[in-house]
Coordinates of all heavy atoms in Angstrom, one line a residue:
F1 N 18.4 -11.1 18.5 CA 17.9 -10.1 17.5 C 17.7 -8.7 18.2 O 17.1 -8.7 19.3 CB 16.6 -10.6 16.8 CG 16.9 -11.7 15.9 CD1 16.3 -12.9 16.2 CD2 17.6 -11.4 14.7 CE1 16.5 -14.0 15.3 CE2 17.7 -12.6 13.8 CZ 17.2 -13.8 14.1
T2 N 18.1 -7.7 17.5 CA 17.7 -6.4 18.0 C 16.3 -6.0 17.6 O 15.8 -6.6 16.7 CB 18.7 -5.4 17.4 OG1 18.6 -5.2 16.1 CG2 20.2 -5.7 17.8
H3 N 15.8 -4.9 18.1 CA 14.5 -4.4 17.8 C 14.4 -4.2 16.3 O 13.4 -4.4 15.7 CB 14.2 -3.1 18.7 CG 12.9 -2.6 18.5 ND1 11.8 -3.3 19.0 CD2 12.4 -1.5 18.0 CE1 10.7 -2.6 18.8 NE2 11.0 -1.5 18.1
S4 N 15.5 -3.5 15.7 CA 15.4 -3.2 14.3 C 15.4 -4.4 13.4 O 14.7 -4.5 12.4 CB 16.5 -2.2 13.9 OG 17.8 -2.8 14.1
H5 N 16.1 -5.5 13.8 CA 16.1 -6.7 13.1 C 14.8 -7.3 13.0 O 14.4 -7.9 12.1 CB 17.1 -7.6 13.7 CG 18.5 -7.4 13.3 ND1 19.5 -6.8 14.2 CD2 19.2 -7.6 12.2 CE1 20.6 -6.7 13.6 NE2 20.6 -7.1 12.4
I6 N 14.1 -7.3 14.2 CA 12.7 -7.8 14.3 C 11.8 -7.2 13.4 O 11.0 -7.7 12.6 CB 12.3 -7.9 15.8 CG1 13.1 -8.9 16.5 CG2 10.8 -8.3 15.8 CD1 12.9 -8.8 18.0
H7 N 11.9 -5.8 13.4 CA 11.0 -5.0 12.5 C 11.3 -5.3 11.1 O 10.4 -5.4 10.2 CB 11.2 -3.5 12.8 CG 10.4 -3.0 13.9 ND1 9.0 -2.7 13.9 CD2 10.6 -2.8 15.3 CE1 8.5 -2.4 15.0 NE2 9.5 -2.5 15.9
F8 N 12.6 -5.4 10.7 CA 12.9 -5.7 9.3 C 12.3 -7.0 8.9 O 11.8 -7.2 7.8 CB 14.5 -5.6 9.1 CG 14.8 -5.8 7.7 CD1 14.6 -4.9 6.7 CD2 15.4 -7.0 7.3 CE1 15.0 -5.1 5.3 CE2 15.7 -7.3 6.0 CZ 15.5 -6.4 5.0
R9 N 12.5 -8.1 9.7 CA 12.1 -9.4 9.3 C 10.6 -9.4 9.3 O 10.0 -10.0 8.4 CB 12.5 -10.4 10.3 CG 14.0 -10.6 10.3 CD 14.5 -11.7 11.3 NE 14.0 -13.0 10.9 CZ 14.2 -14.0 11.5 NH1 14.8 -14.1 12.6 NH2 13.7 -15.2 11.0
L10 N 9.9 -8.7 10.1 CA 8.4 -8.6 10.1 C 8.0 -7.9 8.8 O 7.2 -8.4 8.1 CB 7.9 -7.8 11.4 CG 6.3 -7.7 11.3 CD1 5.7 -9.0 11.4 CD2 6.0 -6.9 12.5
F11 N 8.7 -6.8 8.5 CA 8.4 -6.0 7.2 C 8.6 -6.9 6.0 O 7.7 -7.0 5.1 CB 9.3 -4.8 7.1 CG 9.2 -4.2 5.8 CD1 8.1 -3.4 5.4 CD2 10.2 -4.4 4.9 CE1 8.1 -2.8 4.2 CE2 10.2 -3.7 3.7 CZ 9.1 -3.0 3.3
V12 N 9.6 -7.7 5.9 CA 9.9 -8.5 4.7 C 8.9 -9.6 4.6 O 8.5 -9.9 3.5 CB 11.4 -9.2 4.9 CG1 11.6 -10.2 3.8 CG2 12.4 -8.0 4.7
S13 N 8.4 -10.1 5.7 CA 7.3 -11.2 5.5 C 5.9 -10.6 5.3 O 5.1 -11.2 4.8 CB 7.3 -12.1 6.8 OG 7.0 -11.2 8.0
V14 N 5.6 -9.3 5.7 CA 4.3 -8.9 5.6 C 4.1 -8.2 4.3 O 3.0 -8.2 3.7 CB 4.0 -7.8 6.8 CG1 2.8 -7.0 6.6 CG2 4.0 -8.6 8.1
A15 N 5.1 -7.5 3.8 CA 4.9 -6.7 2.5 C 4.3 -7.5 1.4 O 3.3 -7.1 0.8 CB 6.2 -6.1 2.1
P16 N 4.8 -8.7 1.0 CA 4.2 -9.4 -0.1 C 2.7 -9.8 0.3 O 1.8 -9.9 -0.7 CB 5.0 -10.7 -0.2 CG 6.4 -10.3 0.4 CD 6.0 -9.3 1.5
V17 N 2.4 -10.2 1.5 CA 1.1 -10.5 1.8 C 0.1 -9.4 1.6 O -1.0 -9.5 1.0 CB 1.0 -11.1 3.3 CG1 -0.4 -11.3 3.8 CG2 1.9 -12.2 3.5
V18 N 0.5 -8.2 2.1 CA -0.3 -7.0 1.9 C -0.5 -6.6 0.5 O -1.5 -6.2 0.0 CB 0.3 -5.8 2.8 CG1 -0.6 -4.5 2.6 CG2 0.3 -6.2 4.3
F19 N 0.6 -6.8 -0.3 CA 0.6 -6.5 -1.6 C -0.4 -7.3 -2.4 O -1.2 -6.8 -3.2 CB 2.0 -6.7 -2.3 CG 2.1 -6.4 -3.7 CD1 2.3 -5.1 -4.1 CD2 2.0 -7.4 -4.7 CE1 2.5 -4.7 -5.5 CE2 2.2 -7.0 -6.0 CZ 2.4 -5.8 -6.4
Q20 N -0.6 -8.6 -2.0 CA -1.5 -9.5 -2.7 C -2.9 -9.1 -2.5 O -3.8 -9.3 -3.3 CB -1.3 -11.0 -2.1 CG -0.1 -11.7 -2.8 CD -0.2 -11.8 -4.2 OE1 -1.3 -11.9 -4.9 NE2 1.0 -11.7 -4.9
I21 N -3.2 -8.4 -1.3 CA -4.6 -7.9 -1.1 C -5.0 -6.8 -2.2 O -6.1 -6.9 -2.8 CB -4.7 -7.1 0.2 CG1 -4.5 -8.1 1.3 CG2 -6.0 -6.4 0.4 CD1 -4.4 -7.6 2.7
Y22 N -4.0 -6.0 -2.7 CA -4.4 -5.0 -3.7 C -4.1 -5.7 -5.1 O -4.9 -5.3 -6.0 CB -3.3 -3.9 -3.5 CG -3.6 -3.1 -2.3 CD1 -2.9 -3.4 -1.1 CD2 -4.4 -2.0 -2.4 CE1 -3.1 -2.7 0.0 CE2 -4.7 -1.2 -1.2 CZ -4.0 -1.6 -0.1 OH -4.2 -0.8 1.1
D23 N -3.2 -6.6 -5.3 CA -3.0 -7.2 -6.6 C -3.9 -8.4 -6.9 O -3.5 -9.5 -7.0 CB -1.5 -7.6 -6.7 CG -1.2 -8.2 -8.1 OD1 -1.8 -7.8 -9.0 OD2 -0.2 -9.0 -8.1
F24 N -5.2 -8.1 -6.9 CA -6.2 -9.2 -7.1 C -6.1 -9.8 -8.5 O -6.7 -10.9 -8.8 CB -7.5 -8.8 -6.7 CG -8.2 -7.6 -7.3 CD1 -8.7 -7.7 -8.5 CD2 -8.2 -6.5 -6.5 CE1 -9.3 -6.5 -9.0 CE2 -8.8 -5.3 -7.1 CZ -9.4 -5.4 -8.4
K25 N -5.5 -9.1 -9.5 CA -5.4 -9.7 -10.8 C -4.2 -10.6 -10.9 O -4.0 -11.3 -11.9 CB -5.1 -8.5 -11.9 CG -6.3 -7.6 -12.1 CD -6.0 -6.5 -13.1 CE -7.1 -5.5 -13.2 NZ -6.6 -4.4 -14.1
N26 N -3.4 -10.6 -9.8 CA -2.2 -11.5 -9.7 C -1.2 -11.3 -10.9 O -0.6 -12.3 -11.3 CB -2.7 -13.0 -9.6 CG -2.9 -13.4 -8.2 OD1 -2.4 -12.8 -7.3 ND2 -3.8 -14.3 -8.1
D27 N -1.0 -10.1 -11.3 CA 0.0 -9.9 -12.4 C 1.2 -9.3 -11.9 O 2.1 -8.9 -12.6 CB -0.7 -9.0 -13.5 CG -1.1 -7.6 -13.0 OD1 -0.9 -7.3 -11.8 OD2 -1.6 -6.8 -13.8
G28 N 1.4 -9.2 -10.5 CA 2.7 -8.6 -9.9 C 2.7 -7.1 -9.9 O 3.6 -6.5 -9.5
F29 N 1.4 -6.4 -10.2 CA 1.4 -5.0 -10.1 C 0.0 -4.6 -9.5 O -0.8 -5.3 -9.6 CB 1.5 -4.4 -11.5 CG 2.8 -4.6 -12.2 CD1 3.0 -5.7 -13.0 CD2 3.9 -3.9 -11.9 CE1 4.2 -6.0 -13.7 CE2 5.2 -4.1 -12.5 CZ 5.3 -5.2 -13.4
I30 N 0.1 -3.4 -8.9 CA -1.2 -2.7 -8.5 C -1.5 -1.6 -9.4 O -0.7 -0.7 -9.5 CB -1.1 -2.2 -7.0 CG1 -0.7 -3.4 -6.1 CG2 -2.3 -1.5 -6.7 CD1 -0.3 -2.9 -4.6
D31 N -2.6 -1.7 -10.2 CA -2.9 -0.6 -11.0 C -3.9 0.2 -10.5 O -4.5 0.0 -9.3 CB -3.3 -1.1 -12.5 CG -4.5 -2.0 -12.5 OD1 -5.4 -1.8 -11.6 OD2 -4.7 -2.8 -13.4
E32 N -4.4 1.3 -11.2 CA -5.4 2.2 -10.6 C -6.7 1.6 -10.4 O -7.4 1.9 -9.4 CB -5.6 3.4 -11.6 CG -4.4 4.4 -11.6 CD -4.6 5.8 -12.3 OE1 -5.8 6.0 -12.6 OE2 -3.7 6.5 -12.5
D33 N -7.2 0.7 -11.2 CA -8.4 0.0 -11.0 C -8.4 -0.8 -9.7 O -9.4 -0.9 -8.9 CB -8.8 -0.8 -12.2 CG -9.2 0.0 -13.4 OD1 -9.6 1.2 -13.2 OD2 -9.1 -0.5 -14.5
E34 N -7.3 -1.5 -9.5 CA -7.2 -2.4 -8.4 C -7.2 -1.6 -7.1 O -7.8 -1.9 -6.1 CB -5.9 -3.3 -8.4 CG -6.0 -4.4 -9.4 CD -4.6 -5.1 -9.7 OE1 -3.7 -4.3 -9.9 OE2 -4.6 -6.3 -9.7
L35 N -6.3 -0.5 -7.1 CA -6.2 0.3 -5.9 C -7.6 0.9 -5.6 O -8.0 1.0 -4.5 CB -5.2 1.3 -6.2 CG -4.8 2.3 -4.9 CD1 -4.5 1.4 -3.7 CD2 -3.7 3.3 -5.3
F36 N -8.3 1.4 -6.7 CA -9.6 2.0 -6.5 C -10.5 1.1 -5.9 O -11.2 1.3 -4.9 CB -10.1 2.5 -7.9 CG -11.6 3.2 -7.7 CD1 -11.7 4.4 -7.4 CD2 -12.6 2.4 -8.0 CE1 -13.0 4.9 -7.2 CE2 -13.9 2.9 -7.9 CZ -14.0 4.1 -7.5
C37 N -10.6 -0.2 -6.3 CA -11.6 -1.2 -5.8 C -11.3 -1.5 -4.3 O -12.2 -1.6 -3.5 CB -11.5 -2.5 -6.6 SG -12.2 -2.3 -8.2
V38 N -10.1 -1.6 -4.0 CA -9.7 -2.0 -2.6 C -10.1 -0.8 -1.7 O -10.7 -0.9 -0.6 CB -8.3 -2.4 -2.4 CG1 -7.9 -2.5 -1.0 CG2 -8.0 -3.7 -3.2
L39 N -9.7 0.4 -2.1 CA -10.0 1.6 -1.3 C -11.5 1.8 -1.2 O -12.0 2.2 -0.2 CB -9.2 2.8 -1.8 CG -7.7 2.9 -1.8 CD1 -7.1 4.1 -2.3 CD2 -7.3 2.6 -0.4
K40 N -12.2 1.6 -2.2 CA -13.7 1.8 -2.3 C -14.3 0.7 -1.2 O -15.2 1.2 -0.5 CB -14.3 1.4 -3.7 CG -15.7 1.7 -3.8 CD -16.0 3.2 -3.8 CE -17.5 3.4 -4.1 NZ -17.9 4.8 -3.9
M41 N -13.8 -0.4 -1.1 CA -14.3 -1.3 -0.2 C -14.0 -0.9 1.3 O -14.8 -1.0 2.2 CB -13.6 -2.8 -0.3 CG -14.2 -3.5 -1.5 SD -13.6 -5.1 -1.6 CE -12.0 -4.8 -2.3
M42 N -12.9 -0.2 1.4 CA -12.4 0.3 2.7 C -13.3 1.5 3.2 O -13.6 1.7 4.4 CB -11.0 0.7 2.7 CG -10.0 -0.5 2.6 SD -8.4 0.2 2.5 CE -7.4 -1.2 3.1
V43 N -13.5 2.4 2.3 CA -14.2 3.6 2.6 C -15.7 3.6 2.4 O -16.4 4.6 2.9 CB -13.6 4.9 2.0 CG1 -12.2 5.1 2.4 CG2 -13.8 4.9 0.5
S44 N -16.2 2.6 1.6 CA -17.5 2.5 1.3 C -18.2 3.7 0.7 O -17.7 4.1 -0.4 CB -18.4 2.1 2.6 OG -19.7 1.7 2.3
T45 N -19.2 4.3 1.3 CA -19.8 5.4 0.6 C -19.3 6.8 1.4 O -19.9 7.9 1.0 CB -21.3 5.4 0.8 OG1 -21.8 5.2 2.2 CG2 -21.8 4.1 0.0
D46 N -18.3 6.7 2.3 CA -17.9 7.9 2.9 C -17.2 8.9 2.0 O -17.1 10.0 2.3 CB -17.0 7.5 4.1 CG -17.8 6.7 5.1 OD1 -19.0 6.9 5.2 OD2 -17.1 6.0 5.8
V47 N -16.6 8.4 0.9 CA -15.9 9.3 0.0 C -16.4 9.0 -1.4 O -16.6 7.9 -1.9 CB -14.3 8.8 0.0 CG1 -13.6 9.6 -1.0 CG2 -13.8 9.0 1.4
D48 N -16.7 10.1 -2.2 CA -17.3 9.9 -3.5 C -16.2 9.5 -4.5 O -15.1 9.6 -4.2 CB -18.0 11.2 -3.9 CG -17.2 12.4 -4.3 OD1 -15.9 12.2 -4.4 OD2 -17.7 13.5 -4.5
D49 N -16.7 8.9 -5.6 CA -15.8 8.2 -6.5 C -14.8 9.2 -7.1 O -13.7 8.8 -7.4 CB -16.6 7.5 -7.7 CG -17.3 6.2 -7.2 OD1 -17.1 5.9 -5.9 OD2 -17.9 5.6 -8.0
E50 N -15.3 10.5 -7.4 CA -14.3 11.4 -8.0 C -13.1 11.7 -7.1 O -12.0 11.7 -7.6 CB -15.1 12.7 -8.3 CG -14.3 13.7 -9.0 CD -15.1 15.0 -9.4 OE1 -16.3 14.9 -9.5 OE2 -14.4 16.0 -9.7
L51 N -13.4 11.9 -5.8 CA -12.3 12.2 -4.9 C -11.4 10.9 -4.7 O -10.2 11.0 -4.7 CB -12.9 12.6 -3.5 CG -11.9 12.8 -2.4 CD1 -10.8 13.9 -2.8 CD2 -12.6 13.2 -1.1
L52 N -12.0 9.7 -4.7 CA -11.4 8.5 -4.5 C -10.5 8.3 -5.7 O -9.3 7.9 -5.6 CB -12.2 7.3 -4.3 CG -11.6 6.1 -3.8 CD1 -10.9 6.3 -2.5 CD2 -12.7 5.0 -3.6
R53 N -11.0 8.6 -6.9 CA -10.1 8.5 -8.1 C -8.9 9.4 -8.1 O -7.7 9.1 -8.5 CB -10.9 8.7 -9.4 CG -11.9 7.6 -9.8 CD -11.3 6.7 -10.7 NE -12.2 5.7 -11.0 CZ -11.9 4.4 -11.2 NH1 -10.6 4.0 -11.2 NH2 -12.8 3.4 -11.4
F54 N -9.1 10.6 -7.6 CA -8.0 11.6 -7.4 C -6.9 11.0 -6.4 O -5.7 11.1 -6.6 CB -8.5 12.9 -7.0 CG -7.5 13.9 -6.6 CD1 -6.8 14.6 -7.6 CD2 -7.1 14.2 -5.3 CE1 -5.8 15.5 -7.4 CE2 -6.1 15.1 -5.0 CZ -5.5 15.7 -6.1
I55 N -7.4 10.5 -5.3 CA -6.6 9.9 -4.3 C -5.7 8.7 -4.9 O -4.6 8.6 -4.7 CB -7.3 9.4 -3.1 CG1 -7.9 10.7 -2.3 CG2 -6.5 8.6 -2.1 CD1 -8.9 10.3 -1.2
V56 N -6.4 7.9 -5.6 CA -5.7 6.8 -6.3 C -4.7 7.3 -7.2 O -3.5 6.8 -7.3 CB -6.8 5.9 -7.0 CG1 -6.1 5.0 -8.0 CG2 -7.6 5.1 -6.0
S57 N -5.1 8.3 -8.1 CA -4.2 8.8 -9.1 C -2.9 9.4 -8.4 O -1.7 9.1 -8.9 CB -4.8 9.9 -9.9 OG -3.9 10.5 -10.7
Q58 N -3.1 10.1 -7.4 CA -1.9 10.7 -6.7 C -1.1 9.6 -5.9 O 0.2 9.8 -5.9 CB -2.4 11.8 -5.5 CG -3.1 13.0 -6.3 CD -2.1 13.6 -7.1 OE1 -1.0 14.0 -6.8 NE2 -2.5 14.0 -8.3
T59 N -1.7 8.6 -5.4 CA -1.0 7.6 -4.8 C -0.1 6.8 -5.7 O 1.0 6.5 -5.5 CB -2.0 6.5 -4.1 OG1 -2.8 7.3 -3.1 CG2 -1.2 5.4 -3.3
I60 N -0.7 6.5 -6.9 CA 0.1 5.8 -8.0 C 1.3 6.7 -8.4 O 2.3 6.2 -8.5 CB -0.8 5.5 -9.2 CG1 -1.9 4.5 -8.8 CG2 0.0 5.0 -10.3 CD1 -1.5 3.0 -8.8
K61 N 1.0 8.0 -8.6 CA 2.0 8.9 -9.1 C 3.1 8.9 -8.1 O 4.3 9.0 -8.4 CB 1.4 10.3 -9.2 CG 2.4 11.3 -9.9 CD 1.8 12.7 -10.0 CE 0.5 12.7 -10.9 NZ 0.0 14.1 -11.0
E62 N 2.8 8.9 -6.8 CA 3.8 9.1 -5.7 C 4.7 7.8 -5.7 O 5.8 7.8 -5.4 CB 3.2 9.4 -4.4 CG 4.2 9.5 -3.3 CD 3.5 9.8 -1.9 OE1 2.5 10.5 -1.9 OE2 4.1 9.3 -0.9
A63 N 4.0 6.6 -5.8 CA 4.6 5.3 -5.5 C 5.3 4.8 -6.8 O 6.3 4.0 -6.7 CB 3.7 4.3 -5.0
D64 N 4.9 5.2 -8.0 CA 5.4 4.7 -9.2 C 6.8 5.2 -9.5 O 7.0 6.3 -10.1 CB 4.4 5.0 -10.3 CG 4.9 4.5 -11.7 OD1 5.6 3.5 -11.7 OD2 4.4 5.0 -12.7
G65 N 7.9 4.5 -9.2 CA 9.2 4.9 -9.5 C 9.7 4.8 -10.9 O 10.6 5.6 -11.2
D66 N 9.2 3.9 -11.6 CA 9.6 3.7 -12.9 C 8.7 4.3 -14.1 O 9.0 4.1 -15.3 CB 9.9 2.2 -13.3 CG 8.7 1.3 -13.2 OD1 7.6 1.8 -13.0 OD2 8.8 0.1 -13.2
G67 N 7.7 4.9 -13.8 CA 6.7 5.6 -14.7 C 5.8 4.7 -15.6 O 5.3 5.2 -16.6
D68 N 5.6 3.5 -15.1 CA 4.7 2.6 -15.9 C 3.2 2.7 -15.4 O 2.4 2.0 -15.9 CB 5.2 1.1 -15.8 CG 5.2 0.6 -14.4 OD1 4.9 1.3 -13.5 OD2 5.6 -0.6 -14.3
N69 N 2.9 3.6 -14.5 CA 1.5 3.9 -14.0 C 1.0 2.8 -13.3 O -0.3 2.6 -13.3 CB 0.6 4.3 -15.2 CG -0.5 5.2 -14.8 OD1 -0.3 6.0 -13.8 ND2 -1.6 5.1 -15.3
K70 N 1.8 2.0 -12.6 CA 1.4 0.9 -11.7 C 2.4 0.7 -10.6 O 3.6 1.2 -10.8 CB 1.0 -0.3 -12.5 CG 2.1 -0.8 -13.4 CD 1.6 -2.0 -14.3 CE 2.7 -2.3 -15.3 NZ 2.3 -3.3 -16.2
I71 N 2.1 0.0 -9.6 CA 2.9 -0.2 -8.5 C 3.5 -1.6 -8.4 O 2.6 -2.5 -8.4 CB 2.3 0.2 -7.2 CG1 1.8 1.7 -7.2 CG2 3.2 0.0 -6.0 CD1 0.9 2.0 -6.1
S72 N 4.8 -1.8 -8.5 CA 5.3 -3.2 -8.3 C 5.5 -3.5 -6.9 O 5.4 -2.6 -6.0 CB 6.7 -3.3 -9.0 OG 7.6 -2.5 -8.3
L73 N 5.8 -4.7 -6.6 CA 6.0 -5.1 -5.2 C 7.2 -4.3 -4.6 O 7.1 -3.9 -3.5 CB 6.3 -6.6 -5.1 CG 6.8 -7.1 -3.7 CD1 5.7 -6.9 -2.6 CD2 6.9 -8.6 -3.8
Q74 N 8.3 -4.2 -5.4 CA 9.4 -3.4 -4.9 C 9.0 -1.9 -4.6 O 9.4 -1.4 -3.5 CB 10.5 -3.4 -5.9 CG 11.7 -2.6 -5.6 CD 12.9 -2.6 -6.5 OE1 12.7 -3.2 -7.6 NE2 14.0 -2.0 -6.3
E75 N 8.2 -1.3 -5.5 CA 7.8 0.1 -5.2 C 6.9 0.1 -4.0 O 6.9 1.0 -3.2 CB 7.1 0.7 -6.4 CG 8.0 0.8 -7.6 CD 7.3 1.1 -8.9 OE1 6.1 0.6 -9.1 OE2 7.9 1.7 -9.8
F76 N 6.0 -0.9 -3.8 CA 5.1 -1.0 -2.7 C 5.9 -1.2 -1.4 O 5.6 -0.4 -0.5 CB 4.1 -2.2 -2.9 CG 3.1 -2.4 -1.9 CD1 2.0 -1.6 -1.8 CD2 3.3 -3.3 -0.9 CE1 1.0 -1.7 -0.9 CE2 2.2 -3.5 0.1 CZ 1.1 -2.7 0.1
A77 N 6.9 -2.0 -1.5 CA 7.8 -2.1 -0.2 C 8.5 -0.9 0.1 O 8.6 -0.6 1.3 CB 8.8 -3.2 -0.5
Q78 N 8.9 -0.1 -0.9 CA 9.6 1.2 -0.6 C 8.6 2.2 0.2 O 9.0 2.8 1.0 CB 10.2 1.8 -1.8 CG 11.4 1.1 -2.3 CD 11.7 1.5 -3.8 OE1 11.0 2.3 -4.4 NE2 13.0 1.2 -4.3
I79 N 7.4 2.2 -0.3 CA 6.4 3.1 0.3 C 6.1 2.6 1.8 O 6.1 3.4 2.7 CB 5.1 3.1 -0.5 CG1 5.3 3.8 -1.8 CG2 3.9 3.7 0.3 CD1 5.7 5.2 -1.7
L80 N 6.0 1.3 1.9 CA 5.8 0.8 3.3 C 7.0 1.1 4.2 O 6.8 1.4 5.4 CB 5.6 -0.7 3.3 CG 4.2 -1.2 2.7 CD1 4.1 -2.8 3.0 CD2 3.1 -0.6 3.5
Q81 N 8.1 1.1 3.7 CA 9.4 1.4 4.5 C 9.3 2.8 4.9 O 9.8 3.1 6.0 CB 10.7 1.1 3.8 CG 11.0 -0.4 3.7 CD 12.3 -0.6 3.0 OE1 12.5 -0.1 1.9 NE2 13.2 -1.3 3.6
K82 N 8.8 3.7 4.1 CA 8.7 5.1 4.5 C 7.7 5.4 5.5 O 7.6 6.4 6.1 CB 8.5 6.0 3.2 CG 9.6 6.0 2.2 CD 9.2 6.8 1.0 CE 10.2 6.7 -0.1 NZ 9.9 7.3 -1.3
T83 N 6.7 4.5 5.7 CA 5.5 4.6 6.5 C 5.9 4.2 7.9 O 6.4 3.0 8.0 CB 4.3 3.9 6.0 OG1 4.1 4.2 4.6 CG2 3.1 4.1 6.8
D84 N 5.6 4.9 8.9 CA 5.9 4.5 10.2 C 4.6 3.6 10.7 O 3.7 4.0 11.3 CB 5.9 5.8 11.2 CG 6.3 5.4 12.5 OD1 6.3 4.2 13.0 OD2 6.6 6.3 13.3
M85 N 4.8 2.3 10.3 CA 3.7 1.4 10.5 C 3.4 1.2 12.0 O 2.3 1.0 12.5 CB 4.1 0.0 9.9 CG 4.1 0.1 8.4 SD 2.5 0.7 7.6 CE 1.5 -0.7 7.9
E86 N 4.5 1.3 12.9 CA 4.2 1.0 14.3 C 3.4 2.1 14.8 O 2.4 1.8 15.6 CB 5.6 1.1 15.0 CG 5.5 0.7 16.5 CD 6.9 0.5 17.2 OE1 7.9 0.6 16.5 OE2 6.8 0.5 18.5
N87 N 3.6 3.4 14.5 CA 2.6 4.4 15.0 C 1.3 4.3 14.4 O 0.3 4.6 15.0 CB 3.3 5.8 14.7 CG 4.4 6.2 15.7 OD1 4.4 5.6 16.8 ND2 5.3 7.0 15.3
R88 N 1.1 3.9 13.1 CA -0.2 3.8 12.5 C -1.0 2.7 13.0 O -2.1 2.7 12.9 CB 0.1 3.7 10.9 CG 0.6 5.0 10.3 CD 0.6 4.9 8.8 NE 1.3 6.1 8.3 CZ 0.6 7.2 7.9 NH1 -0.7 7.3 8.1 NH2 1.4 8.2 7.4
M89 N -0.3 1.6 13.4 CA -1.0 0.4 13.8 C -1.1 0.2 15.4 O -1.5 -0.8 15.8 CB -0.2 -0.9 13.3 CG -0.1 -0.9 11.8 SD -1.6 -0.8 10.8 CE -2.2 -2.5 11.1
T90 N -0.6 1.3 16.1 CA -0.7 1.2 17.5 C -1.9 1.9 18.1 O -2.1 3.0 17.6 CB 0.6 1.7 18.1 OG1 1.7 1.0 17.6 CG2 0.6 1.7 19.6
I91 N -2.6 1.3 19.0 CA -3.7 2.0 19.6 C -3.1 2.5 21.0 O -2.6 1.7 21.8 CB -4.9 1.0 19.9 CG1 -5.4 0.6 18.5 CG2 -6.0 1.8 20.7 CD1 -6.5 -0.4 18.6
R92 N -3.3 3.8 21.3 CA -2.7 4.3 22.5 C -4.0 4.5 23.5 O -5.0 5.0 23.1 CB -2.1 5.7 22.3 CG -1.0 5.6 21.2 CD 0.2 6.4 21.6 NE 1.2 6.5 20.6 CZ 2.0 5.6 20.1 NH1 1.8 4.3 20.5 NH2 2.9 5.8 19.2
F93 N -3.7 4.2 24.7 CA -4.7 4.3 25.8 C -4.3 5.4 26.8 O -3.2 5.6 27.0 CB -5.0 3.0 26.5 CG -5.5 1.9 25.6 CD1 -4.7 1.0 25.1 CD2 -7.0 1.8 25.4 CE1 -5.2 0.0 24.3 CE2 -7.4 0.9 24.6 CZ -6.6 -0.1 24.0

């Protein structure tokens, strides 16, 4: 396998697992309430609710390809593909 094949296989196996963290209603979509709740747990009290709601709204708007105001697994996967996960998940010493 080449380096890119390994990354693609890892991506395909990880995207649904990560998606499930956000889709706690198990309806196959991430809506604004779900995204807000997960992000609220991540940032705790460091970000006020108004700013967090704005971030959620902008995130949904950017990721929502079909205009239904929620993120499907396919839309989520597309966002992850655009994100340089290797650089974001690497600690440099």
Side-chain angles (χ1 to χ4, degrees):
F1 288 110
T2 66
H3 188 69
S4 62
H5 283 104
I6 292 169
H7 277 280
F8 180 75
R9 291 182 69 183
L10 179 63
F11 168 77
V12 168
S13 65
V14 168
V17 175
V18 175
F19 183 82
Q20 285 298 327
I21 294 170
Y22 292 89
D23 180 26
F24 55 81
K25 292 178 186 173
N26 277 333
D27 62 359
F29 298 96
I30 301 168
D31 63 25
E32 287 193 13
D33 291 334
E34 288 169 313
L35 186 55
F36 177 83
C37 288
V38 173
L39 293 180
K40 185 71 174 170
M41 286 186 280
M42 292 174 153
V43 299
S44 187
T45 58
D46 295 337
V47 178
D48 71 11
D49 285 0
E50 185 177 339
L51 178 56
L52 195 56
R53 287 267 177 214
F54 175 76
I55 292 168
V56 165
S57 174
Q58 293 302 312
T59 301
I60 296 280
K61 188 184 299 184
E62 180 180 328
D64 180 21
D66 61 9
D68 62 358
N69 207 33
K70 52 190 174 183
I71 302 170
S72 67
L73 176 56
Q74 181 180 359
E75 292 165 335
F76 185 78
Q78 289 172 346
I79 291 297
L80 286 183
Q81 280 183 310
K82 293 178 187 176
T83 304
D84 186 352
M85 294 304 286
E86 185 174 354
N87 281 336
R88 293 183 186 270
M89 302 300 284
T90 302
I91 299 172
R92 305 224 192 286
F93 295 97

